[in-house]
Amino acid sequence: MEKYVIEMLNIRKEFPGIVANNNINLQVKKGEIHALLGENGAGKSTLMNVLFGLYQPEKGEIRVRGEKIKITNPNVANELGIGMVHQHFMLVEPFTVAQNIILGSEPTKGAGYVDIKQAEKEIKELSDRYGLSVDPSAKVRDISVGMQQRAEILKTLYRGAEVIILDEPTAVLTPQEILELISIMRNLTKEGISIILITHKLKEIMEVCDRVTVIRKGEGIDTVNVKDTNVDDLAALMVGRQVNFKTEKTPAKPKEAILSIKDLQVKDARQAMMVKGLNLAVRAGEIVGIAGIDGNGQSELIEAITGLRKSESGEIKLNSKTITNLSPRKVTESGVAHIPQDRHKFGLVLDYPIAENIVLQTYYKKPFSKNKVLSFKAIYEHADKLIKDFDVRTPSPKTKARALSGGNQQKAIIAREVDRSPDLLIAAQPTRGLDVGAIETIHRRLIEERDKGRAVLLVSFELDEVMNVSDRIAVMFDGQIVAEVKPEETNEQELGLLMAGSSKEKARQKAGEEK
Amino acid sequence: MMENKKLNILIPILSVLLGFLVGAIVMLAFGYNPIEGYAALFQGAFGSMYNIGESIRRTIPLVLSGLAIAFAFRSGLFNIGAEGQVFVGWFAAVWVGVAFDLPAIIHIPLAILAAAVAGALWAFVPGILKATRGVHEVVVTIMMNYIALHTTNYLIRTLLSDGGSQSERIANSAWLATPGLQEMFGYSQIHWGFIVSIIFAVFVWFFLEKTTYGYELRAVGFNPHAAKYSGMSVKRNIVLAMLISGGLAGIGGAMEGIGTFGYMYTHGAFTNLGFDGIAVALLGANTAPGVVLAAFLFGALKVGALSMPPLSGVPAELVEIVIAMIIFFVAASYMIRLVIMRFKKEEN
Ligand SMILES: Nc1ncnc2c1ncn2[C@@H]1O[C@H](COP(=O)(O)OP(=O)(O)OP(=O)(O)O)[C@@H](O)[C@H]1O
Ligand SMILES: [Mg+2]
């Protein structure tokens, strides 16, 4: 038997103005979980798209089970048993899970009649076998992000995948869902399936992976056994310098309240009340972190503050001026900046050049336009500056946002929002999909903004991040702030319990017992 | 990898060539000589000053309806209503031409303005319904087309004539053509509308690419969520896009009213100017320069087609096949993109 299921040798892939992959080697053994690690824009997604047949390499060869092969398109990859779950899912929302899974390889029962019942049965069996717990008859738009992802995994399995590529699967998951995914990955490898896992979370690599290949700026650096390494070495290998995980900061010196919210009520698109009489204050010079499980009203709260969603009742004040139900433009102009959770939906016009994305809220002001005519010179000069200051890796400011790596898209948004020097900076999952080096930079930026006297509201599902960066943690549960704690006086267990709805006393007691 | 810009130019050109190729095959299959057929077509489109004049004349309203569709497209809207907007624009221009007696320098712009306003109002209805109620613009614009057709017919019979099927002729001061120009082009029906159409092509290009309005409209077209997030009013932009698109189509109608014909007649069916505008916009990749070139190609093809039966015996309908195939190939550009990529790779 062959030692490696997949071998990618001396792969080179160029894009206009940039070499995304240069002489990269990747060898994956049967039944292993192989991590692919690298900074934002290092070329991980590109390399995987080459393996999946979406891009053709300029140089290099690919061997599958020892056999040299040209993967000209994803169908060829599927036939070779290679499946991929992309960084951004590719599901048809109004279809059911089963319909999505069989799309393109529909089983027919004579005369082109699609046998959906049979398919659902097979999918259910597959799902049970690997512990995926996916309901094949549920509509994709009705299920959680985590389940959508498992549906994508099922899709690859249904097509007979023996090698599954997961591109940053955990970036969009809640901590609970991440645990589930990890156990699924273990089930898969037990059955001899190999997994290539892209992730920026070094802890995950240490926990589930067997080996890890590190790439930096398109070059292959090394492949190491996870047993023989540790988080610090991996980070250094990937970034090329030592990385600080614990963010250094001085105690906050909060001043007057910038944002104050009273008895706020907000409904979601389905008219269900999601924010139920919420009270919160954020002062100048402090970072307030909102901890909570996804779906407890965080998105609705942010959308209400920023004017994207109507508030039913209650009051939002900024600098003691009421901004309840103002338009997004008015809210922005009164000094609020917003790093949105969903960067593709809200944060960027993907078909605009990066420079034009950077002036998305300021294009109508001087110097970016005069008398309604855009000044591209000013726009591009500004973009050049931010790209440099925030280390956005892009071939040029003219490059469409779509062509940037996921992490660099995020950095461009952060650059735009932080640069406006807002009184209140709302950061929703600001480091989602960023590499450890970039996370360090972003956290430093948030703290710098705080020290300049701005108010920062941080919403994150990463407890690490909330504990590390916040000066004060507000726990959100079922549409309300149920507790406020100091990061230095709490721990992950206590926060976890609070987030699940326990009272503060109970949580403290229980967390104490568990220790 | 080839850059997208180059591809965007290459695809329409290739599509046109392929369209002609299929046309040639069809001619061969039916026993005609494609060389003779195309020679006749060329002769008909450019053979003399008269033919050139006619080709340009045919191009003028297509530029404007093409711009109308392209403008809406870029803002994320599908304005199938250009057809109806052409009708009301034509009517409004002729009405101003008939009802007033003014110096040409005022009369002509006034007629054009009236056409633009009429077209814009016609497009305002689907625009506002889309913006406030979310009604799909395609449905409403199609209905508005029928309303335009029958309303203008009625008004021609009652307001612009005594139950006749044709309006009075417009005053000479509103006429866009001059005998001198027509004489120069072999007494064809050419008129100064070609300058109007170029002016509006430049306007559309500048407005979309260089102004903050265009920046907003395109952002809304690409991603309404991001547009809203960044503080743009999606609703206002939808209405604005429909108003301008409708205005452009209305001016296209004016070109027929105060240019080519000098009057308006009752129509039994649609003019197809608006529908052809969809094809023009598609071939022109929804850019102003592209629209001008595509409109000229279609204008020349349609005029040239008239000479095919007498000169070569090939039925004029063949040109419709060629046009249809060109559109097919543009629409299937995904396929063509793949073919180009393949060739590129084999070169390497
Ligand atoms: N379609 C494309 N066209 C042009 N350039 C591209 C394209 N896709 C990626 N690139 C460039 O190639 C480089 C590598 O991008 P890639 O998406 O592979 O990075 P990545 O390692 O997956 O990063 P991240 O962790 O941020 O997702 C980047 O500089 C990116 O801008
Ligand atoms: Mg990536």
Side-chain angles (χ1 to χ4, degrees), chain A residues 56-57 70 72, chain B residues 340-348:
Chain A
Q56 297 307 309
K70 253 199 148 84
T72 47
Chain B
I340 295 173
M341 299 283 190
R342 217 15 77 78
F343 275 121
K344 277 296 279 188
K345 214 167 304 132
E346 255 140 54
E347 269 170 43
N348 289 344

Side-chain angles (χ1 to χ4, degrees), chain A residues 15-16 18 20 38-47 55 87 167-168 200 393-395 403-408 433, chain B residues 1:
Chain A
F15 290 116
I18 203 162
E39 287 178 281
N40 296 123
K44 305 177 297 292
S45 297
T46 304
L47 186 69
Y55 295 149
Q87 208 163 351
D167 194 349
E168 289 190 39
H200 290 295
R393 309 230 172 126
T394 170
L404 258 58
S405 80
N408 281 296
Chain B
M1 207 165 105

Side-chain angles (χ1 to χ4, degrees), chain A residues 56 308 328-329 338 340 344-346 348-349 351-352 356 359-361 363 369 372-374 376 416-417, chain B residues 1 3 206 209-216 218-219 222-223 225-226 228-232 342 345:
Chain A
Q56 297 307 309
L308 288 166
R329 166 80 29 102
H338 172 200
H344 279 184
K345 190 168 172 193
F346 291 107
L348 293 167
V349 178
D351 292 295
Y352 269 180
E356 290 183 37
V359 293
L360 212 51
Q361 296 103 332
Y363 63 93
S369 64
K372 310 279 181 196
V373 178
L374 296 168
F376 286 99
R416 177 182 75 205
E417 299 305 312
Chain B
M1 207 165 105
E3 283 147 64
F206 185 81
E209 311 289 343
K210 302 287 171 197
T211 70
T212 55
Y213 298 107
Y215 178 87
E216 285 196 18
R218 287 181 294 126
F222 280 133
N223 182 352
H225 298 289
K228 187 174 174 204
Y229 154 86
S230 61
M232 302 170 190
R342 217 15 77 78
K345 214 167 304 132

Side-chain angles (χ1 to χ4, degrees), chain A residues 97-118:
Chain A
V97 171
Q99 283 169 330
N100 267 288
I101 288 174
I102 60 174
L103 204 63
S105 56
E106 299 88 350
T108 51
K109 196 160 71 178
Y113 171 77
V114 178
D115 194 352
I116 191 80
K117 281 275 158 320
Q118 178 62 26

Side-chain angles (χ1 to χ4, degrees), chain A residues 125-145:
Chain A
E125 279 165 18
L126 263 182
S127 166
D128 291 345
R129 178 158 150 217
Y130 296 104
L132 285 156
S133 54
V134 170
D135 172 9
S137 57
K139 290 226 165 76
V140 166
R141 62 160 174 245
D142 296 334
I143 63 180
S144 70
V145 173

Side-chain angles (χ1 to χ4, degrees), chain A residues 238-255:
Chain A
M238 148 183 165
V239 187
R241 64 175 165 88
Q242 223 50 53
V243 178
N244 268 333
F245 286 98
K246 184 85 188 140
T247 328
E248 303 291 332
K249 64 173 195 208
T250 52
K253 298 183 201 76
K255 297 195 193 66

Side-chain angles (χ1 to χ4, degrees), chain A residues 45-63:
Chain A
S45 297
T46 304
L47 186 69
M48 289 303 100
N49 284 334
V50 167
L51 180 59
F52 194 54
L54 284 167
Y55 295 149
Q56 297 307 309
E58 267 77 44
K59 253 179 37 199
E61 68 177 63
I62 298 177
R63 289 167 181 269

